[in-house]
């Protein structure tokens, strides 16, 4: 069997790897000149840094298994994280139960409610019971107005903007599950969170994975965008590939996987039935808009600082070098300023210099000692379709991986549900879709 795959991110590469290991031919097409999609990297200080911050949780078993299979297990470090929250002009540690008790912006009763509701969600195993709830409504109802106004409300608004009141409760459930899984069970659950990072960067994983695909008879082609998916008599039969400006070629396949965002997919295959297109169009996306500062000095002592202040125009500060050693980046300190924005937000369309000027006064609110002279370099990245907005009762609306067109499969972050986006879930999804294709191909061969 010969399978064409659109996209060399985690899902596309994992699917290709799974297929070639089983003896099939897989060809991966990527329009960008680099691997990894949302987990791709760029060079900083002699090291490689993800365009969008990435780490692993201890529950991320699929990608951890893949890392070991690729011989990179020795590069994977598990590190205690340092999490905080900024509220009312102050940084609060938010790592241990004692930190929660010290979080004075909440009354003692609300602190206890926050802890108890978090434990309640952690112990819920059936997320389906939460599907009918909007996260903002559920938190207000069970955690109370104080907890919502101080902690979860600002974070939901920062993360989802005008869509904050549409997000289904399974998103909140998934965040609690992954965070607590990295703390352990029982008494270990009181420990600090441990997060994983591949010390050669995520790029090394994807490079070794692409090399393994090539060595097993597959192909990974960068800077090779796909123009369209060809359909003949209701079956996907090939891809039109752009090989040069104004020039294209056609290649035939027995099956095709697209890992494109839902709004891109119908452009590639206009003959999709309208009811399937309607399912795709029900999910909106936000882009991750990141300003990355290369600093002479550390900005804070926190790795992941949540911003619970509606006057600050970004949702988080992720200080990579409070997680891994600055020596990975030539001794420099790396700070991500994180935002999730729609293209209708004025910040989305700002040039990087303008955006930095917008942010600097707010950085000074968080750390009054901060000075722009600390900035040696800065970068600006927009990661399109980084955050799908999943509403209530989504299990009844999720598009099937098997599209209505025979031999055509879709695998993107809107289908990871109930989990949120992540490299681990993309690896798992890629493998699962590859298994679907092999099962369908085998069944069709037997039928013929």
């Amino acid at each position: 069997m010969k399978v064409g795959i659109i996209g060399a991110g985690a899902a596309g590469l994992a699917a290709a790897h799974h297929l070639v290991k089983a003896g099939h031919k897989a060809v991966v097409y990527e329009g960008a000149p680099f691997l990894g999609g949302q987990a791709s990297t760029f060079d900083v200080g002699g090291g490689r840094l993800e365009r969008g911050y990435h780490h692993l949780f201890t529950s991320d078993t699929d990608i951890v298994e893949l890392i070991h299979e690729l011989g990179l297990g020795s590069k994977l470090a598990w590190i205690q994280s340092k999490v905080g929250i900024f509220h009312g002009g102050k940084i609060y540690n938010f790592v241990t139960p004692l930190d929660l008790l010290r979080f004075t912006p909440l009354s003692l009763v609300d602190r206890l409610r926050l802890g108890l509701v978090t434990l309640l969600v952690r112990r819920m195993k059936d997320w389906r019971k939460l599907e009918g709830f909007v996260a903002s409504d559920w938190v207000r109802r069970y955690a109370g107005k104080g907890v919502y106004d101080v902690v979860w409300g600002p974070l939901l608004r920062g993360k989802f903007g005008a869509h904050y009141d549409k997000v289904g409760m399974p998103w909140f459930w998934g965040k609690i599950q992954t965070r607590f899984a990295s703390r352990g069970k029982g008494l270990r659950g009181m420990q600090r969170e441990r997060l994983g990072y591949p010390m050669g960067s995520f790029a090394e994983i994807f490079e070794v994975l692409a090399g393994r695909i090539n060595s097993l008879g597959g192909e990974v082609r960068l800077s090779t965008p796909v123009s369209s998916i060809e359909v003949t008599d209701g079956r996907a039969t090939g891809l039109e590939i752009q090989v040069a400006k104004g020039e294209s070629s056609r290649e035939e396949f027995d099956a095709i996987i697209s890992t494109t965002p839902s709004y891109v997919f119908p452009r590639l295959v206009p003959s999709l039935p309208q009811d399937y297109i309607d399912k795709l169009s029900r999910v909106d996306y936000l882009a991750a808009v990141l300003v990355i500062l290369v600093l002479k000095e550390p900005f804070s002592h926190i790795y992941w600082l949540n911003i619970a202040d509606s006057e600050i125009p970004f949702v988080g500060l992720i200080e990579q070098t409070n997680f891994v050693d600055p020596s990975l980046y030539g001794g420099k300190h790396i700070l991500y300023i994180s935002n999730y924005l729609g293209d209708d937000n004025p910040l989305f369309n700002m040039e990087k210099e303008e955006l930095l000027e917008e942010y600097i006064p707010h950085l000074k609110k968080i750390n009054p000692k901060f000075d722009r002279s600390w900035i040696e370099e800065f970068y600006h990245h927009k990661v399109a379709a980084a955050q799908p907005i999943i509403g209530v009762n989504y299990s009844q609306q999720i598009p099937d991986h098997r599209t209505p067109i025979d031999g055509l499969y879709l695998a993107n972050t809107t289908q990871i549900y109930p989990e949120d986006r992540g490299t681990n879930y993309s690896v798992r999804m890629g493998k699962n879709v590859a298994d679907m294709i092999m099962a369908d191909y085998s069944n069709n061969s037997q039928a013929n």
Side-chain angles (χ1 to χ4, degrees):
M1 180 171 56
K2 184 180 179 184
V3 181
I5 300 173
I6 305 171
L13 292 174
H17 186 234
H18 205 54
L19 287 162
V20 296
K21 285 198 301 179
H24 301 287
K25 171 82 172 181
V27 183
V28 182
Y29 297 94
E30 172 58 59
F34 49 77
L35 300 166
Q38 296 184 7
S40 61
T41 63
F42 66 107
D43 294 338
V44 176
R48 292 187 292 184
L49 178 71
E50 287 69 31
R51 286 178 170 82
Y53 45 87
H54 274 72
H55 58 238
L56 301 176
F57 296 99
T58 57
S59 57
D60 288 344
T61 53
D62 289 276
I63 192 168
V64 169
E65 180 181 308
L66 177 62
I67 288 168
H68 284 279
E69 182 181 349
L70 296 174
L72 297 173
S74 63
K75 298 283 191 76
L76 182 58
W78 293 98
I79 307 160
Q80 285 190 347
S81 70
K82 303 168 187 174
V83 179
I85 188 167
F86 180 80
H87 177 85
K90 183 178 177 181
I91 294 175
Y92 294 86
N93 291 330
F94 229 72
V95 177
T96 68
L98 187 58
D99 291 332
L100 173 57
L101 292 175
R102 291 170 175 160
F103 188 61
T104 53
L106 290 176
S107 69
L108 180 58
V109 171
D110 280 339
R111 280 174 256 171
L112 293 173
R113 288 187 74 172
L114 175 57
L116 290 171
V117 167
T118 302
L119 286 173
L120 171 66
V121 176
R122 178 195 179 190
R123 292 178 179 177
M124 289 181 177
K125 301 305 177 188
D126 188 1
W127 55 269
R128 292 172 182 82
K129 294 180 180 179
L130 299 171
E131 264 209 301
F133 294 94
V134 173
S136 57
D137 292 343
W138 193 97
V139 172
R140 271 192 292 252
R141 179 176 177 182
Y142 290 97
K145 185 177 184 298
V147 171
Y148 180 82
D149 288 346
V150 172
V151 179
W152 290 113
L155 295 179
L156 277 167
R157 284 184 172 88
K159 180 82 169 179
F160 295 104
H163 304 277
Y164 79 95
D165 58 351
K166 300 175 185 175
V167 177
M169 186 60 190
W171 175 84
F172 185 91
W173 173 88
K175 288 298 180 187
I176 298 296
Q177 297 298 318
T178 53
R179 285 289 178 184
F180 271 90
S182 286
R183 293 176 181 268
K185 297 180 179 179
L187 291 176
R188 289 183 60 210
M190 305 295 283
Q191 296 178 356
R192 290 172 179 263
E193 179 182 60
R194 292 170 64 245
L195 302 175
Y197 186 76
M199 287 305 174
S201 81
F202 278 80
E204 185 174 28
I205 299 170
F206 298 126
E207 287 168 1
V208 174
L209 183 56
R212 187 70 60 88
I213 292 166
N214 289 328
S215 70
L216 292 171
E219 296 179 58
V220 179
R221 303 180 188 176
L222 300 180
S223 301
T224 311
V226 172
S227 303
S228 65
I229 297 168
E230 296 192 358
V231 179
T232 305
D233 296 328
R235 179 174 183 81
T237 55
L239 295 175
E240 184 178 343
I241 300 120
Q242 187 175 325
V243 293
K245 190 173 183 179
E247 297 181 21
S248 62
S249 65
R250 184 184 182 280
E251 193 157 352
E252 294 185 352
F253 294 98
D254 298 300
I256 294 167
I257 304 172
S258 175
T259 67
T260 57
S262 292
Y263 61 87
V264 172
F265 190 48
R267 301 175 196 168
L268 295 176
V269 51
S271 56
L272 279 170
Q274 189 60 46
D275 59 344
Y276 192 79
I277 293 175
D278 289 343
K279 282 189 175 183
L280 298 177
S281 64
R282 288 190 187 119
V283 175
D284 292 314
Y285 289 90
L286 295 176
V289 178
L290 300 145
V291 173
I292 304 170
L293 306 184
V294 180
L295 303 173
K296 298 176 185 177
E297 306 284 343
F299 183 81
S300 77
H301 65 287
I302 301 291
Y303 163 54
W304 190 285
L305 183 62
N306 293 300
I307 307 299
D309 184 329
S310 59
E311 294 184 358
I312 292 180
F314 45 82
V315 68
L317 296 177
I318 294 83
E319 196 157 353
Q320 177 80 355
T321 42
N322 285 337
F323 181 46
V324 299
D325 196 272
S327 62
L328 290 178
Y329 314 105
K332 306 303 180 184
H333 300 272
I334 307 296
L335 179 69
Y336 291 92
I337 307 174
S338 172
N339 240 335
Y340 290 89
L341 305 172
D343 58 12
D344 57 343
N345 189 303
L347 296 174
F348 181 88
N349 296 305
M350 285 186 181
E351 297 296 328
K352 70 174 188 176
E353 293 82 5
E354 186 182 7
L355 193 57
L356 179 61
E357 290 303 318
E358 179 75 21
Y359 286 167
I360 281 179
H362 300 283
L363 293 173
K364 287 179 177 289
K365 291 179 186 177
I366 299 167
N367 179 0
K369 295 181 180 179
F370 172 74
D371 188 85
R372 66 181 307 123
S373 66
W374 293 9
I375 304 172
E376 293 194 348
E377 298 176 84
F378 70 99
Y379 302 88
H380 179 218
H381 295 299
K382 291 181 184 178
V383 182
Q387 180 64 63
I389 300 165
I390 306 299
V392 298
N393 298 316
Y394 186 64
S395 65
Q396 301 164 30
Q397 308 163 37
I398 187 168
D400 198 333
H401 291 302
R402 293 180 175 95
T403 76
I405 293 174
D406 195 22
L408 180 59
Y409 301 77
L410 179 66
N412 68 30
T413 53
T414 70
Q415 298 164 297
I416 288 170
Y417 188 77
E419 286 90 358
D420 195 19
R421 62 197 172 79
T423 50
N424 178 70
Y425 306 125
S426 292
V427 166
R428 183 181 67 192
M429 178 172 58
K431 290 164 58 180
N432 288 344
V433 173
D435 281 332
M436 283 183 193
I437 291 174
M438 289 187 282
D440 292 348
Y441 185 77
S442 176
N443 292 336
N444 290 337
S445 297
Q446 291 172 11
N448 294 330

